[in-house]
Amino acid sequence: CDPAAFRRALGFRSSDVVVGCVGALVEQKDPVRAARLVAAMNGVRTGGGLRFVPLFVGDGPLRNEVRRA
């Protein structure tokens, strides 16, 4: 497995910080909150210009809401 090729295939930059979540997209696990937290992390000054990007693997009734977050 080539990590750089994997990142490129998913559209991530080599400098991106990928925040992953694997599981059912259901209210009990609160994936919407997790997606919002990753988005909020992009507003934090890191000095290095880091970009935080979410990677959610799973399905469930909150799928569309997670995509919008």
Side-chain angles (χ1 to χ4, degrees), residues 1-57:
C1 178
D2 178 6
F6 183 73
R7 283 175 166 269
R8 283 191 304 272
L10 293 175
F12 299 134
R13 301 178 201 155
S14 62
S15 60
D16 286 345
V17 176
V18 180
V19 181
C21 181
V22 178
L25 303 178
V26 296
E27 189 172 331
Q28 180 181 12
K29 295 181 182 279
D30 208 358
V32 176
R33 182 176 186 196
R36 289 181 180 149
L37 286 170
V38 173
M41 289 166 55
N42 282 312
V44 176
R45 288 189 167 274
T46 61
L50 294 178
R51 184 174 82 132
F52 297 89
V53 292
L55 175 61
F56 285 84
V57 179

